[in-house]
Amino acid sequence: MTVRVVIADDHPMYRYGLRSVLDASPEVEVVGEAADGAELLALVARTAPDVVLTDLSMPRLPGIAAIDELARRRPGLGVLVLTMHEDDASLFGALRAGARGYLLKGADHEEIVRAVLAVAGGDAVYGGAVARRVVDALTRPAPRAQALPGLTGREREVLELLAAGLPTGQIARRLALSDKTVRNHVSAVLTKLQVPDRAAAVARARDAGLGRP
């Protein structure tokens, strides 16, 4: 059976090259292309692909938010991320949202095709450097959760990015949130940590090992 794939990336030439790679495989059929997250959702609803191959940085609806929505609408859909973003917030944000694979742009043609087929078959796929970081995250000790008790997972993500020196706007884009939502999370963090301002929250976070620049 042919694996039906939808491609999502905001760069037309990259989509063209990616489609050429996939079309060269007799096991893959590209059934559509999207230039942003909102277009991706509509395209998936219309074409019912087996796999979505998507970037994270896209207009209108960021990739992580689109992945989260796809997981809600079509839980069995295989989502493979192909992106330039190597940071932990992007990687683990995409995986938490429901992505089944994560490759970095620069992966060769054969690796991309193999990953698409593997994700279609229900496997999880990570590029070499990404796989090492996933393993590290799963095997490293986790005293962080006890170091700052009471924070939700999202509040901890916001605090870690804040401690890494990111402003509100960049945190919002990384986590696919609005600026207002990020500010609300920061306010909740200050209250739970019982600190007067962001600087004090950052100091607490770094003492706990979070957000090293």
Side-chain angles (χ1 to χ4, degrees), residues 92-189:
F92 294 108
L95 297 183
R96 279 191 292 267
R100 202 180 294 162
Y102 200 102
L103 298 180
L104 298 178
K105 287 182 176 179
D108 64 31
H109 299 181
E110 292 183 358
E111 184 178 6
I112 293 172
V113 172
R114 282 198 305 268
V116 167
L117 297 177
V119 167
D123 293 335
V125 179
Y126 311 109
V130 171
R132 286 191 294 273
R133 286 163 55 199
V134 171
V135 171
D136 288 345
L138 293 175
T139 57
R140 74 167 66 105
R144 283 184 172 188
Q146 289 74 40
L148 298 171
L151 299 185
T152 66
R154 181 62 83 187
E155 288 165 356
R156 189 175 299 277
E157 288 176 331
V158 169
L159 178 58
E160 183 153 14
L161 293 175
L162 189 67
L166 274 66
T168 297
Q170 286 189 33
I171 295 174
R173 288 191 293 275
R174 287 283 186 90
L175 300 179
L177 303 172
S178 68
D179 288 6
K180 181 180 178 182
T181 298
V182 171
R183 287 193 291 269
N184 288 342
H185 283 311
V186 171
S187 295
V189 168

Side-chain angles (χ1 to χ4, degrees), residues 1-6 27-29 31 44 47-53 74-80 100 116-122:
M1 292 180 62
T2 302
V3 175
R4 293 162 47 83
V5 179
V6 160
E27 299 173 277
V28 177
E29 177 189 4
V31 296
V44 167
T47 61
D50 303 304
V51 174
V52 166
L53 183 55
R74 297 192 61 206
L77 178 63
V79 177
L80 174 62
R100 202 180 294 162
V116 167
L117 297 177
V119 167

Side-chain angles (χ1 to χ4, degrees), residues 3-46:
V3 175
R4 293 162 47 83
V5 179
V6 160
I7 297 169
D9 195 290
D10 62 339
H11 292 95
M13 289 305 297
Y14 193 82
R15 290 200 310 272
Y16 174 80
L18 193 54
R19 182 166 196 149
S20 298
V21 168
L22 296 176
D23 281 343
S25 170
E27 299 173 277
V28 177
E29 177 189 4
V30 177
V31 296
E33 299 177 22
D36 59 60
E39 188 177 334
L40 171 60
L41 296 182
L43 183 60
V44 167
R46 192 165 65 248

